[in-house]
Amino acid sequence: QVQLVASGGDSVQAGGSLTLSCIASGPIYNAGCLGWFRQAPGKEREGVATIYTGTGLTFYSNSVKGRFTISQEHAANTLYLQMTSLNPDDTAVYYCEAVREGLMHACPRQYPSDFTSGGRGTQVTVTS
């Protein structure tokens, strides 16, 4: 399974935008399903957006739908998360993760336990 490293986090004001990147150690076109997850202080890790890497079909949590866009660039083995209209509730460490083997059907539901964890995240802080 590919190793994933997220980057691009920063401190921004509410209403601002930010794009996160995630570089994979190998090809992502056959990774199955990749996604962005986040964990705020004192809260559990939650799914934000996922994508079937073969078809490009995307899924979003209700909290970010219409504001965030997940995308991929196969040639660069890179996953992106474009974030707009950021608010303080979006403050968290963001991680990119791959679905566990045999759990392709889990892509839409974004259960954290269905995805690998432990990769390096990137901090996003939104100030009001």
Side-chain angles (χ1 to χ4, degrees):
Q1 204 163 35
V2 293
Q3 302 300 310
L4 302 166
V5 178
S7 63
D10 204 347
S11 180
V12 297
Q13 289 191 327
S17 301
L18 198 61
T19 297
L20 306 181
S21 299
C22 173
I23 297 178
S25 59
I28 63 171
Y29 70 90
N30 61 351
C33 172
L34 298 177
W36 288 96
F37 291 75
R38 67 186 182 186
Q39 187 163 19
K43 295 187 177 181
E44 294 187 353
R45 189 159 57 100
E46 64 172 349
V48 174
T50 50
I51 184 170
Y52 278 120
T53 58
T55 64
L57 187 61
T58 59
F59 307 92
Y60 297 93
S61 67
N62 288 334
S63 61
V64 306
K65 196 173 296 182
R67 300 189 298 123
F68 291 11
T69 302
I70 186 172
S71 62
Q72 57 183 346
E73 185 177 351
H74 288 171
N77 295 332
T78 303
L79 186 72
Y80 301 99
L81 185 68
Q82 295 175 278
M83 305 183 293
T84 64
S85 300
L86 286 162
N87 61 67
D89 289 338
D90 296 316
T91 294
V93 178
Y94 284 70
Y95 302 88
C96 52
E97 302 179 4
V99 75
R100 295 183 187 277
E101 190 172 349
L103 293 180
M104 279 279 284
H105 61 280
C107 201
R109 66 188 188 192
Q110 302 174 358
Y111 289 176
S113 59
D114 291 335
F115 289 76
T116 61
S117 62
R120 189 178 72 194
T122 187
Q123 176 71 48
V124 174
T125 302
V126 184
T127 57
S128 57

